[in-house]
Every structure is written in C-alpha cells, then in structure tokens.
Amino acid sequence: MSKVEQRLAELGVTLPAPAAPIANYTPFIRTGSLVIISGQLCLGADGKIAPHHVGRVGAGVSTADATGAARLCAINVLAQLRAGVGSLDRVLRCVRLGGFINSGPNFDALAGVMNGASDFMVEVFGEAGVHARSTVGVASLPLSAVVEVEGMFEVR
C-alpha cells in the first residue's frame, strides 16, 4: 500500500472508481510534471449525488452539507489523479484547486465551503497539500450538484 493510500485509510477514506466524463472532455491531462484534473462533482461511492448535495447552498442546502460535498469532490479529484499517475506517492504537491459553489443569491460564505476540499488536501498530503485556490459562486452546476472542484498537481 502506498504511503498516501495508507494516510487515506487512516482518515477512513477509500477512493472510488473514477467517474466517467458526462460531456466532451477528458477527466485529466498530463503535461510535463503537471496533471490537471477536470471538475469533479460530489458523487458518492455509488456514483450518485446524495439528495443533501443537490441544490444551492444558502437556499436549501446547509453550509455543513456543502462543505462535506466539497470534501467529497476532493476525494473524487484524487481518484482521477490516481488513475492518471498510477500511485499518489508520485504527487509532489497540490498546486491549485478551483471550486465552484452552487449558491443562493445572498450566500457569501463561499470560502468556508471550499475549505472542505482544501482542508482535505492538507490532511492527505501535509505541507505538500497547501495550494493556490479560486472559489466562485455560480447559478447552477451539472446534475444540480452543490459543489464542483478541479485541481492541478505537480508529480514526478
């Protein structure tokens, strides 16, 4: 078992099978030492979005549920990353995360929601999980997901 997979096990996390694209894109691209992961939704291990992760935060979805959805997105990002590089032990650092939060018109606590993904990267990779980030509130996301997260990683 890889060192990172062991850390995931300690956190009680099992990476799911990577989700297939739902449109005309590839789930990841490697260019040189960078791997860019396309936006991942908050799909559960069953490949579906739980009812409490559908809709808009601040307008029916709680901040706690949206933060949990961001963490789930980050788990799915790592599943794609592992598919792209074979072993997560090849990751040198998480370079950047981008978060899209399906939010109600007056919801402005977007950064806190995205911390669900950011905190997870630090839990998994330690200092190498600290990253640059953008977080954007949006009017809708595919499959009415409350959160979508994309990532960029430096690998050996």
Side-chain angles (χ1 to χ4, degrees):
M1 177 182 289
S2 80
K3 190 170 158 185
V4 175
E5 299 259 353
Q6 183 175 353
R7 178 65 184 137
L8 289 167
E10 290 168 4
L11 294 170
V13 174
T14 301
L15 295 182
I22 61 172
N24 186 18
Y25 63 90
T26 185
F28 58 84
I29 291 282
R30 181 168 182 176
T31 181
S33 64
L34 294 178
V35 178
I36 295 91
I37 308 296
S38 295
Q40 298 298 303
L41 300 177
C42 44
L43 301 172
D46 62 357
K48 298 179 180 171
I49 300 175
H52 59 282
H53 291 158
V54 172
R56 300 172 132 201
V57 65
V61 176
S62 73
T63 301
D65 282 341
T67 302
R71 180 182 175 91
L72 191 51
C73 290
I75 290 168
N76 291 326
V77 164
L78 291 189
Q80 293 292 356
L81 181 60
R82 182 177 65 185
V85 300
S87 170
L88 293 176
D89 284 347
R90 298 184 70 196
V91 174
L92 296 173
R93 83 168 303 113
C94 178
V95 175
R96 179 187 179 282
L97 293 180
F100 305 92
I101 315 298
N102 189 356
S103 56
N106 296 315
F107 185 81
D108 63 0
L110 301 169
V113 168
M114 188 55 186
N115 281 344
S118 293
D119 293 348
F120 180 72
M121 289 301 165
V122 174
E123 287 177 47
V124 172
F125 295 111
E127 186 65 27
V130 177
H131 52 273
R133 180 177 100 178
S134 296
T135 305
V136 180
V138 298
S140 71
L141 286 171
L143 307 178
S144 297
V146 69
V147 180
E148 180 176 352
V149 175
E150 62 187 14
M152 180 183 302
F153 297 82
E154 181 183 13
V155 298
R156 39 179 165 283

